[in-house]
Amino acid sequence: MLTRVVRPNLLRVMASAKRAFSRLPSTVVPSNYAIHLHPDLEKFTFAGKETISVEVKEAVKEIKLNCLDIEISSASYRSQESASVQAKWTYNKDDELVTLSFAESLRPGPGSLSIDFTGELNDKMKGFYRSKYKSPEGEDRFAAVTQFEPTDARRAFPCWDEPAVKATFDVTLVAPKNRVALSNMDVVEEKDCDSNLKEIRFSRTPIMSTYLLAFVVGEYDYVEDKTSNGVLVRVYTPVGKKEQGRFALEVTLKSLPFYKDYFGIAYPLNKMDLIAISDFAAGAMENWGLVTYRETCLLIDPENSSSMTKQRVAIVVAHELAHQWFGNLVTMEWWTHLWLNEGFASFMEYLVVDKYFPEYRIWDQFVAQDTARALELDALRSSHAIEVPVGHPSEIDEIFDLISYSKGASVIRMLHNWIGDKAFRTGLNHYLEKFSYKNAFTEDLWNSLEWASDKPVERVMRTWTEKMGFPVLTVSEKKEGNTRILEFSQSKFSADGASSDDSYHWLIPVSLSCASKPEEVRAEFLIEEKTKSVKIENVASTDWIKVNPGQFGFYRVKYSSEMLSSLLPGIKSQTLPARDRLGLTSDLFALARAGVSGSVDYLRLVECFSNEEDFNVMSDIGNSLSTFRILLSNIDLDGAFHPFAVKVFEKLGDKLGWDAKEGEGHVDALLRSLVIGKLGYYGHQKTVEEAKERVLDHAKETRVLPADLRVPAYITSLAHGDEAMFDALLGVFRKATLQEERMRVARCLGCVRDPSLIEKTLKFSLSDEVRAQDTVFVITSCCGTKSGRELTWKFLQENFPLLHDRYEGGFLLSRLIKETCQHFASEEKAQEIEAFFKANPAPAAERNVLQACENVRLNAAWIKRDGEAIRDWLTKEK
Ligand code: BES
Ligand code: ZN
């Protein structure tokens, strides 16, 4: 039976948020906004007026709306029966509000609120902002574009800027005649205003949240097609580059019908535009009917785009289109439930890509990337629960992180596997139908899935979303003839290895496989208590048992040494499936890092993978080795580590060579790129020489490097190159018109080892040549070496006011802070970082600072624990 669970008391949610905050009063609520906006692309301002149809629920003398960096010039209210009354207004910048006050109380009933205002087309990539691009003639021009999620619609027009306050929107834009003007809906009327300007009126939107509204005025070309259901899809590109929109168009034409079928609900609008925006803070944004993208997440140039970029475009397009249902049609009630949007879209994107691009082996990549990174972050004390109380915008910004996205998607994948696809779909359809054009809480989804599956979905899933962290399952076995008795116990997994006395436990759907049929699930059960004993009949006494086959569960496994030893031959012979080999190394690395097992044991285990050829397994091992290398660079042991790392990749490198072979596929290209990059970075002589030669030829345009080889070749030649190489690559950057190629170079520049070239890279990151959206990635490329890290940290501190202002404290700044700080390894450094951010607060990065400092202390403890043993092993035994 589907019963309605009592909704969490909103007051409770707010009270536990960190900063005092309250939501807008519901005494007056909007139902429609008629918005008229005229951006001025020369003065970088906009003039706006809006008439908001509202319902006054209680007699009030005040109306509170969200409003930020907007100048109101008049505001009045008119009810149906009386004349219009003027309002006075006061702004509250800290709370991002404006209060309109009236001389007399407004009577309950319908009415309309009219506001005239002006604002700046800012350069912060937030609200209504300007984005710079080059015309085909090479002239600098500007477009006016929007980014409203999570809380920046209030920078474009005064509004009830909360996801649960839904309304319809009638948008009108005034734009120069020679510009394209777009919004969520199709055009109903276009007329001339004067000789230069036109006015474009768009049809009424469905009932929706403010953060999903979008406007664009600029110059674009497009390619178009219709889906099988007659939705007109256009991909807008920079002028002259429309062919680069073909691949995204193809993905859209596949995704929209897929979702219609999967969710059992058609996409409700008659058009879907995807557009590449030159300055864009995030990767993409799911505005209903007008999805905006960073150029590198949308455009594919068959000659110059890598396989990785192509895959990324497929993923991002599929992600944003999933939001058209999950997020746009049904929206989270409050940002606490952001993961309902982001976790879900991050799961659905893989379903689509897996179906249409099976050769990508995308689910294996999911385990190697999303699940692995989420487990790493969620083992920290400074992690947070998937459902997290948030109030003030700076707290909301903070949770667009790996927990909402990757842990969210991982626990959904666990659930999907546990209840099965059929029940999952039935439940989703029920949920989406029930809450269409409305808002939902996390437990609403659980209720629908519970109804559809007849499994205790809510009881199980709450343990994963309401509390941070995840369990490690400790398992040992007893053999009685062909009967195997497994003893499980669960406890919270902590990055510092501390066993917690916390009595909290998870409800864990567990499965097992056996050596006789490695691809099959042999047993499935729910662990509900701290410990559980499980008996399995008919297992040959020589068979290994693998827990969590397919790596669907969001937990780690610690085997007894006997069980682990029995699994090792399965790794060598590769009878253990790739995803399980990956799960094993990933868990063992995490256990070593936490001090539960020794680091040298892990490094020895890596040697068992000498026959390994799977991209995802190698990429996981590559990531673990990078973590070791960076750690060891703190005690100048990275040089000694390089030859060991070379050995890990050498055999595979010899086999693959530089040039693609006939009949190779997508994953082969990814593997080659990975292996060459690793060999080159770690200083494998032959690879270094070949890379340098190829890069110089590429720079001179005498021999073009295939796109898939560019990142590894650039990394290698910069890590082992001099200033001439650096300048040659800057030349490649300057000549390239494709943003992907420019960033490919710029993001590798920090691989240089000479401190003066690091300084050159840091300076370059803030120059006019690098877009604000990209600066962060250029800076963070510099912190992989000891001296690079010190210089980057110094640079961040010296330029902090500028950087803070540039990003208005947004998530790019948080990313920069975390990446710059987290690789140090001493208590003094942790304190230095804390002191700096105490004196220079960055509210939206608070949690990132905590996480970075926690990592710094973990690194210090790791070195203290295992540093000597690693040194001995690297120097004596090798
Ligand atoms: N809704 C987000 C965009 C967003 C991100 C808005 C951060 C505000 C703050 C969008 O759906 C998204 O998740 N974009 C991702 C790409 C995606 C494929 C993971 C991004 O921007 O990285
Ligand atoms: Zn998203």
Side-chain angles (χ1 to χ4, degrees):
M1 245 311 277
L2 196 65
T3 51
R4 173 122 212 109
V5 174
V6 179
R7 298 195 159 213
N9 176 337
L10 290 177
L11 284 173
R12 189 196 58 152
V13 172
M14 294 308 138
S16 48
K18 283 186 289 178
R19 258 168 101 159
F21 175 82
S22 46
R23 277 167 67 170
L24 292 170
S26 47
T27 42
V28 180
V29 289
S31 57
N32 176 263
Y33 294 73
I35 307 176
H36 187 280
L37 286 165
H38 177 186
D40 183 329
L41 295 168
E42 273 150 27
K43 296 204 190 85
F44 304 139
T45 55
F46 60 91
K49 51 188 184 196
E50 61 179 344
T51 298
I52 314 173
S53 309
V54 299
E55 175 81 21
V56 176
K57 300 276 188 191
E58 291 171 25
V60 282
K61 286 177 90 170
E62 276 184 6
I63 301 179
K64 271 193 200 318
L65 292 168
N66 289 114
C67 177
L68 184 61
D69 294 342
I70 280 179
E71 197 67 43
I72 294 177
S73 54
S74 86
S76 60
Y77 176 79
R78 138 181 268 148
S79 67
Q80 267 170 351
E81 65 274 14
S82 55
S84 146
V85 287
Q86 297 298 316
K88 294 203 166 93
W89 55 91
T90 47
Y91 304 103
N92 175 344
K93 194 167 161 77
D94 283 348
D95 291 338
E96 309 187 354
L97 296 174
V98 63
T99 305
L100 308 179
S101 7
F102 300 89
E104 307 278 324
S105 281
L106 306 179
R107 290 237 300 277
S112 64
L113 191 61
S114 297
I115 308 178
D116 292 349
F117 52 93
T118 53
E120 186 202 3
L121 286 177
N122 70 68
D123 60 354
K124 315 270 184 211
M125 298 181 280
K126 286 180 167 190
F128 203 9
Y129 69 94
R130 57 186 193 257
S131 168
K132 188 167 156 183
Y133 62 95
K134 284 224 184 297
S135 71
E137 300 74 42
E139 192 186 307
D140 281 343
R141 299 238 179 103
F142 291 87
V145 303
T146 54
Q147 168 61 35
F148 289 167
E149 193 185 14
T151 55
D152 290 315
R154 64 193 65 173
R155 291 174 190 263
F157 58 101
C159 58
W160 279 261
D161 197 10
E162 294 183 357
V165 190
K166 291 194 174 189
T168 53
F169 296 82
D170 302 323
V171 175
T172 304
L173 294 174
V174 176
K177 279 187 182 154
N178 57 0
R179 294 291 188 267
V180 175
L182 301 170
S183 184
N184 306 73
M185 306 301 290
D186 50 357
V187 176
V188 277
E189 190 190 52
E190 185 172 321
K191 61 179 190 215
D192 291 353
C193 301
D194 60 29
S195 56
N196 296 320
L197 294 174
K198 59 184 175 183
E199 186 179 88
I200 307 99
R201 195 157 63 82
F202 299 92
S203 60
R204 177 166 291 189
T205 70
I207 297 176
M208 61 186 267
S209 306
T210 45
Y211 79 89
L212 291 167
L213 209 62
F215 328 118
V216 174
V217 175
E219 291 172 283
Y220 303 93
D221 280 346
Y222 63 81
V223 285
E224 67 174 7
D225 204 342
K226 277 199 168 167
T227 67
S228 43
N229 322 112
V231 177
L232 177 63
V233 180
R234 285 186 177 165
V235 179
Y236 285 86
T237 71
V239 171
K241 296 187 175 173
K242 67 181 183 184
E243 289 310 313
Q244 293 180 10
R246 288 267 170 229
F247 180 66
L249 182 63
E250 177 196 331
V251 177
T252 308
L253 290 175
K254 291 180 160 134
S255 302
L256 285 177
F258 175 91
Y259 290 134
K260 171 176 185 277
D261 181 52
Y262 198 86
F263 297 133
I265 299 175
Y267 172 71
L269 309 187
N270 53 19
K271 69 105 169 165
M272 176 81 238
D273 292 332
L274 292 76
I275 185 163
I277 305 290
S278 47
D279 290 305
F280 197 78
M285 175 65 211
E286 70 267 25
N287 316 299
W288 213 342
L290 176 56
V291 183
T292 42
Y293 294 80
R294 217 174 237 253
E295 289 187 358
T296 50
C297 290
L298 189 69
L299 305 178
I300 291 297
D301 165 1
E303 289 292 296
N304 291 292
S305 289
S306 66
S307 301
M308 204 40 122
T309 301
K310 209 167 164 194
Q311 175 184 309
R312 176 89 188 137
V313 167
I315 284 280
V316 181
V317 168
H319 175 103
E320 304 310 334
L321 296 178
H323 276 313
Q324 309 300 308
W325 286 260
F326 252 94
N328 302 9
L329 188 61
V330 179
T331 312
M332 70 254 141
E333 201 280 340
W334 180 247
W335 300 104
T336 295
H337 305 274
L338 171 70
W339 87 284
L340 280 179
N341 273 12
E342 298 305 346
F344 237 90
S346 299
F347 172 79
M348 292 306 304
E349 72 198 32
Y350 282 87
L351 279 186
V352 174
V353 172
D354 183 48
K355 168 145 184 187
Y356 294 104
F357 304 94
E359 71 279 15
Y360 290 5
R361 302 242 326 273
I362 204 73
W363 280 118
D364 291 2
Q365 296 196 51
F366 179 89
V367 174
Q369 301 297 327
D370 286 76
T371 306
R373 289 167 64 204
L375 286 167
E376 185 182 335
L377 176 59
D378 205 25
L380 298 183
R381 292 178 192 283
S382 51
S383 180
H384 63 85
I386 283 181
E387 290 180 71
V388 53
V390 284
H392 192 271
S394 63
E395 294 173 3
I396 299 169
D397 268 348
E398 230 179 27
I399 59 170
F400 284 82
D401 67 357
L402 285 174
I403 297 298
S404 302
Y405 281 76
S406 301
K407 182 179 181 183
S410 298
V411 301
I412 290 164
R413 176 169 174 261
M414 174 166 72
L415 168 71
H416 176 256
N417 184 58
W418 175 48
I419 67 174
D421 192 59
K422 189 159 174 281
F424 187 78
R425 283 176 71 160
T426 309
L428 284 191
N429 173 263
H430 180 271
Y431 166 86
L432 290 170
E433 290 279 5
K434 183 165 174 191
F435 296 100
S436 280
Y437 306 104
K438 299 195 189 76
N439 296 79
F441 293 81
T442 300
E443 65 263 31
D444 293 321
L445 177 63
W446 300 154
N447 285 341
S448 291
L449 292 168
E450 184 150 332
W451 163 79
S453 67
D454 252 344
K455 287 195 166 155
V457 172
E458 190 186 9
R459 210 159 58 81
V460 169
M461 294 310 291
R462 280 176 64 159
T463 68
W464 299 91
T465 60
E466 290 185 354
K467 177 99 175 175
M468 74 174 197
F470 58 88
V472 50
L473 267 186
T474 303
V475 47
S476 60
E477 63 180 3
K478 273 194 288 204
K479 295 177 184 172
E480 289 174 4
N482 278 358
T483 302
R484 205 69 70 93
I485 299 153
L486 298 165
E487 300 292 345
F488 291 94
S489 75
Q490 63 157 302
S491 58
K492 182 180 183 309
F493 181 83
S494 306
D496 60 5
S499 59
S500 66
D501 45 353
D502 191 347
S503 61
Y504 191 83
H505 57 266
W506 285 263
L507 300 193
I508 317 173
V510 176
S511 57
L512 307 172
S513 61
C514 292
S516 52
K517 284 195 179 130
E519 304 278 355
E520 265 178 33
V521 170
R522 179 62 195 273
E524 265 180 309
F525 44 90
L526 199 62
I527 295 189
E528 303 195 40
E529 301 295 336
K530 281 260 161 192
T531 59
K532 188 178 177 91
S533 180
V534 176
K535 201 184 236 184
I536 303 177
E537 308 287 352
N538 297 323
V539 185
S541 63
T542 49
D543 270 11
W544 50 254
I545 288 192
K546 164 83 180 31
V547 183
N548 201 12
Q551 299 300 122
F552 289 98
F554 193 74
Y555 55 88
R556 298 223 183 259
V557 182
K558 178 175 182 289
Y559 295 96
S560 66
S561 49
E562 296 74 38
M563 285 183 85
L564 183 59
S565 311
S566 73
L567 281 161
L568 296 183
I571 293 180
K572 287 199 176 125
S573 62
Q574 294 179 12
T575 45
L576 197 66
R579 221 183 275 161
D580 293 312
R581 302 200 292 279
L582 167 66
L584 267 181
T585 53
S586 163
D587 285 353
L588 286 166
F589 174 67
L591 290 166
R593 197 177 184 189
V596 177
S597 54
S599 295
V600 171
D601 294 341
Y602 177 79
L603 296 174
R604 282 209 183 96
L605 175 94
V606 168
E607 295 183 316
C608 292
F609 285 84
S610 56
N611 296 325
E612 186 61 61
E613 296 186 0
D614 182 85
F615 165 66
N616 291 292
V617 180
M618 286 318 286
S619 127
D620 182 75
I621 291 175
N623 289 342
S624 307
L625 297 188
S626 296
T627 306
F628 268 113
R629 182 191 64 74
I630 294 181
L631 179 83
L632 295 175
S633 70
N634 284 289
I635 49 170
D636 297 315
L637 255 190
D638 43 341
F641 185 75
H642 290 180
F644 165 73
V646 165
K647 254 177 68 188
V648 173
F649 291 97
E650 198 169 15
K651 191 164 146 198
L652 196 48
D654 284 344
K655 179 164 174 195
L656 293 169
W658 277 74
D659 298 308
K661 302 187 182 62
E662 213 27 54
E664 279 188 359
H666 181 83
V667 187
D668 301 301
L670 299 186
L671 180 66
R672 175 174 295 104
S673 168
L674 172 80
V675 171
I676 294 180
K678 294 292 174 194
L679 281 173
Y681 187 83
Y682 290 121
H684 179 251
Q685 204 49 40
K686 250 173 50 196
T687 307
V688 172
E689 282 160 18
E690 178 90 27
K692 285 184 174 174
E693 195 182 316
R694 287 188 182 237
V695 169
L696 291 176
D697 287 352
H698 182 69
K700 284 185 283 191
E701 294 180 35
T702 51
R703 177 168 56 146
V704 176
L705 253 175
D708 281 321
L709 293 179
R710 291 188 203 165
V711 165
Y714 297 171
I715 290 177
T716 306
S717 20
L718 285 161
H720 303 281
D722 53 9
E723 185 150 17
M725 182 59 79
F726 186 88
D727 290 340
L729 276 162
L730 265 189
V732 173
F733 172 91
R734 291 188 174 126
K735 246 186 268 163
T737 51
L738 183 71
Q739 185 64 8
E740 176 190 344
E741 177 67 0
R742 288 166 70 82
M743 278 316 289
R744 196 153 34 214
V745 175
R747 291 175 85 140
C748 291
L749 287 177
C751 291
V752 290
R753 305 229 165 112
D754 174 351
S756 70
L757 292 180
I758 290 279
E759 283 185 323
K760 214 166 156 180
T761 305
L762 291 169
K763 210 161 147 212
F764 172 73
S765 76
L766 283 180
S767 72
D768 284 349
E769 291 189 88
V770 178
R771 290 178 177 272
Q773 59 169 13
D774 299 323
T775 299
V776 165
F777 305 102
V778 181
I779 299 178
T780 55
S781 77
C782 296
C783 35
T785 57
K786 189 177 180 184
S787 58
R789 198 147 53 240
E790 285 293 352
L791 290 170
T792 310
W793 170 226
K794 192 164 144 260
F795 182 83
L796 171 62
Q797 295 175 81
E798 282 167 5
N799 292 287
F800 194 69
L802 186 150
L803 289 162
H804 193 277
D805 176 62
R806 196 180 238 217
Y807 300 113
E808 282 263 305
F811 57 86
L812 284 172
L813 182 74
S814 309
R815 218 181 260 189
L816 172 62
I817 293 174
K818 186 167 180 197
E819 200 44 42
T820 303
C821 298
Q822 69 177 354
H823 300 301
F824 289 108
S826 71
E827 175 59 31
E828 300 73 63
K829 213 43 159 197
Q831 287 181 14
E832 184 184 321
I833 296 165
E834 281 164 353
F836 179 81
F837 289 107
K838 201 159 171 218
N840 301 274
E846 260 175 38
R847 203 191 304 272
N848 283 270
V849 171
L850 285 178
Q851 290 168 352
C853 290
E854 189 175 345
N855 275 323
V856 172
R857 294 192 166 100
L858 285 167
N859 290 341
W862 191 5
I863 289 183
K864 196 163 159 215
R865 205 173 52 230
D866 284 350
E868 277 317 301
I870 299 174
R871 183 190 304 270
D872 286 352
W873 189 70
L874 287 176
T875 50
K876 292 192 193 127
E877 292 183 33
K878 300 277 108 186

